[in-house]
Amino acid sequence: MQATHIHYDAVVSGAGPVGLFLSCELALAGCSVLVFEREADPHSLFKQLPFGIRGLSAPTIEALYRRGLLNELEVPRRLKNPFGIGGPQAGQALRQAGHFAGIGFQAERIDATRWPWRLPGSPPASLIAEMAELETVLARRAQMLGVEIRRGCMVSGYTQDDDGVDVRAGALQIRARWLVGCDGARSSVRKAGGFDFAGTEPEFTGYSARADVADPSLLGQGRQLTPRGMVFQSQPGYLAIQEFDGGAGHDGAPVTRERLQQVLRRVSGVDVGISVLHAASTWTDRARQATRYRQGRVLLAGDAAHIHAPLGGQGLNLGIGDAMNLGWKLAATIKGRAPAGLLDTYEAERHPVGAKVLDWSRAQVLLMRPEPASRALRAIVEDLMDTVDGATYMAGRVWGMATRYDLGGDHPLIGQSAPDFELGDGSRLGQHMHDGRAILLDFSGDAATQSQAAAYGLPFRHVQARPNEDFGLGALLIRPDGIVAGAWDL
Ligand SMILES: Cc1cc2nc3c(=O)[nH]c(=O)nc-3n(C[C@H](O)[C@H](O)[C@H](O)COP(=O)(O)OP(=O)(O)OC[C@H]3O[C@@H](n4cnc5c(N)ncnc54)[C@H](O)[C@@H]3O)c2cc1C
């Protein structure tokens, strides 16, 4: 039976990082939001360190910073970030700044002058975070903003019409104007809506496990490529294993001590014993992406829209990028102030970014295959990554510095994340973005730019900046997600 009364502006399925971030964005803009989360208990060993370790890249760090959330995360401050821009301190060993298929690139090879818009004092380009803490901070913010989160309530289906969506979750039926599926890789919203989820099948099964290994030193240090895949022991007993079995091990069957021991022996080639298994999970490098991110009043974001191997850690970053891009557009649509076609730019902008990340993970799988051709190609890539051009390219991709939307316009800043300019009073641009509104950053005080900016149809706040001779900028129109929509030189 269809309800007629609208209960919420938006229902979000899934209180993972993407669903929570999106619900904050919607609530910040004054929308009423209900989040359904399948799990009754938000805590899980796999969200805590070391399993819950997540590398955050520049766009995610900026998103958190621009909403005043970055300082609420304690783990990135506590854990020394091994990755960063710039060379080592005097007397320090070479610093690995990141990796591609397990091949490290060095910090001192990176030429940061190639990103002139990245100003000194900007938030870091990469950080280490913990999934559990990130979700806690986002859930707290969401609740402060009035978002309702119902845990232990799984979205099972929906029907939509021209005016709204009737969402079924347990015994409940809720009517909302919009439904967003942020319910992860096996998204019920994606499946119920029959969204096409196209891509490639897995080559390997990945295992994350915490176990008491009889003699962990037998497994060696760091990533070990073997004739069957890879074994990585980040600290004694904390294992990541990849077995090139076509994904057969990711069969839903429980990972027992005996089974993990067999896999570990097979892949490492070492007769190593596991006495106790504390926890284990499996994953694959299956790479799929929804061909559409929107069907009528139903949208997808995060892992619900795209899945790929976690190699090089991009999935969370991709999902937060979706949420930051979608939030203000959906809110403007709900509030009836969106220019025509604005919501459809979500898919137009984010789908290509997702497709690139899927290919990035496929390229890594190719280099990790236990076969002679891959080993040979790997040696060449290693050499290239050891050059300034190679390391700078890798850093640009891994840290998301190269992300730019095609918004038209000639100015090189259009479509990019706005530089974090220091303003006349010593504050920085990002600190003026906590309320999620667009900004006209005015360096010249020229009244004409205000009317030029108004032509974009984005309601904005006027912020006066110190004249900036270095870049010769007159004004920037910055969207709520921090992307430059318009730029005028002096
Ligand atoms: C081993 C590993 C390491 C990784 N490392 C990194 C990294 O370093 N950096 C990085 O960027 N990414 C990394 N990732 C990927 C990252 O964890 C995911 O991309 C990210 O968690 C996706 O967030 P999400 O909110 O879209 O989905 P999820 O985190 O999966 O959250 C979805 C939520 O929806 C809930 N849900 C599911 N179905 C329903 C339903 N029907 N109704 C209601 N709720 C539902 C789930 O319980 C869950 O809470 C890694 C992944 C793995 C497996």
Side-chain angles (χ1 to χ4, degrees):
M1 191 185 66
Q2 180 189 305
T4 47
H5 174 68
I6 295 280
H7 302 106
Y8 294 90
D9 288 325
V11 164
V12 173
S13 177
V18 176
L20 290 171
F21 195 96
L22 177 70
S23 62
C24 289
E25 287 296 287
L26 293 171
L28 192 58
C31 302
S32 58
V33 187
L34 170 66
V35 181
F36 283 123
E37 166 55 46
R38 182 187 60 198
E39 303 299 325
D41 179 1
H43 304 100
S44 151
L45 184 69
F46 289 101
K47 292 182 186 173
Q48 291 160 24
L49 297 175
F51 295 121
I53 193 165
R54 295 291 184 269
L56 305 185
S57 58
T60 305
I61 296 165
E62 285 173 350
L64 294 166
Y65 162 68
R66 286 170 173 156
R67 296 299 183 255
L69 289 161
L70 191 57
N71 283 340
E72 292 191 24
L73 296 176
E74 192 265 328
V75 171
R77 283 199 295 271
R78 179 158 52 83
L79 284 191
K80 193 174 156 290
N81 177 25
F83 309 139
I85 298 177
Q89 305 296 313
Q92 243 185 10
L94 294 185
R95 274 190 314 136
Q96 185 178 313
H99 76 90
F100 180 72
I103 309 167
F105 52 92
Q106 309 301 334
E108 75 276 13
R109 300 267 189 281
I110 297 167
D111 178 6
T113 62
R114 306 222 185 141
W115 308 306
W117 304 113
R118 219 186 144 72
L119 304 176
S122 303
S126 86
L127 281 176
I128 299 297
E130 184 199 45
M131 185 82 154
E133 186 188 44
L134 183 61
E135 286 191 358
T136 304
V137 164
L138 290 172
R140 190 168 60 219
R141 172 63 63 90
Q143 276 163 329
M144 270 173 52
L145 290 167
V147 173
E148 214 180 306
I149 303 176
R150 289 200 202 172
R151 297 189 184 273
C153 226
M154 176 175 163
V155 170
S156 54
Y158 64 85
T159 50
Q160 62 167 313
D161 54 53
D162 289 348
D163 305 316
V165 191
D166 293 292
V167 185
R168 293 186 296 282
L172 295 173
Q173 177 155 313
I174 299 288
R175 185 162 171 82
R177 290 186 203 288
W178 295 86
L179 168 65
V180 190
C182 300
D183 42 4
R186 297 189 172 139
S187 169
S188 307
V189 173
R190 187 187 70 230
K191 289 178 185 167
F195 283 83
D196 190 18
F197 201 43
T200 47
E201 287 305 296
E203 297 194 29
F204 67 74
T205 303
Y207 297 81
S208 299
R210 198 190 140 216
D212 293 346
V213 180
D215 188 352
S217 64
L218 289 178
L219 293 172
Q221 285 282 312
R223 285 185 183 79
Q224 311 283 331
L225 293 184
T226 75
R228 280 180 172 269
M230 186 216 59
V231 175
F232 178 44
Q233 189 175 217
S234 55
Q235 47 183 284
Y238 287 91
L239 299 167
I241 308 169
Q242 276 168 226
E243 182 172 36
F244 278 77
D245 61 354
H250 186 64
D251 54 6
V255 183
T256 60
R257 183 193 68 82
E258 293 77 12
R259 183 175 155 203
L260 191 75
Q261 179 172 281
Q262 277 172 11
V263 173
L264 184 58
R265 286 180 176 171
R266 216 166 38 229
V267 178
S268 67
V270 177
D271 193 20
V272 67
I274 290 178
S275 53
V276 182
L277 177 62
H278 299 282
S281 73
T282 63
W283 37 275
T284 73
D285 59 318
R286 177 177 280 114
R288 288 183 177 267
Q289 186 178 22
T291 51
R292 305 300 315 267
Y293 282 13
R294 176 182 174 194
Q295 275 181 10
R297 293 182 163 270
V298 181
L299 295 132
L300 300 176
D303 278 13
H306 36 67
I307 55 164
H308 57 86
L311 301 170
Q314 306 249 333
L316 170 65
N317 292 298
L318 188 55
I320 297 288
D322 291 346
M324 190 69 167
N325 188 288
L326 174 60
W328 67 276
K329 294 175 180 174
L330 183 55
T333 305
I334 289 168
K335 294 290 174 192
R337 50 173 188 245
L342 179 69
L343 191 56
D344 288 326
T345 66
Y346 164 59
E347 180 184 300
E349 291 175 10
R350 293 305 297 173
H351 195 280
V353 179
K356 253 180 134 169
V357 169
L358 261 65
D359 276 348
W360 188 251
S361 86
R362 289 184 182 115
Q364 294 187 74
V365 175
L366 177 65
L367 287 184
M368 296 180 106
R369 269 189 206 155
E371 57 184 42
S374 292
R375 294 279 192 265
L377 184 58
R378 192 178 171 86
I380 295 169
V381 173
E382 262 174 31
D383 285 348
L384 292 175
M385 284 172 61
D386 204 26
T387 63
V388 168
D389 282 339
T392 308
Y393 172 82
M394 286 293 165
R397 292 290 301 265
V398 170
W399 296 341
M401 315 287 254
T403 309
R404 185 176 178 202
Y405 300 131
D406 181 8
L407 303 186
D410 296 334
H411 200 283
L413 267 177
I414 294 177
Q416 291 211 37
S417 177
D420 194 35
F421 288 106
E422 191 178 326
L423 308 184
D425 61 359
S427 64
R428 300 193 69 110
L429 173 63
Q431 295 167 326
H432 293 260
M433 303 186 73
H434 292 189
D435 61 4
R437 291 178 61 193
I439 287 181
L440 178 67
L441 188 63
D442 188 350
F443 297 94
S444 67
D446 178 356
T449 42
Q450 290 211 37
S451 53
Q452 282 170 312
Y456 282 74
L458 264 180
F460 58 80
R461 196 152 35 87
H462 184 245
V463 173
Q464 195 64 47
R466 260 198 316 237
N468 190 304
E469 280 132 30
D470 294 349
F471 296 126
L473 286 170
L476 291 180
L477 179 62
I478 301 161
R479 306 191 319 194
D481 58 355
I483 299 297
V484 176
W488 297 269
D489 282 332
L490 278 173

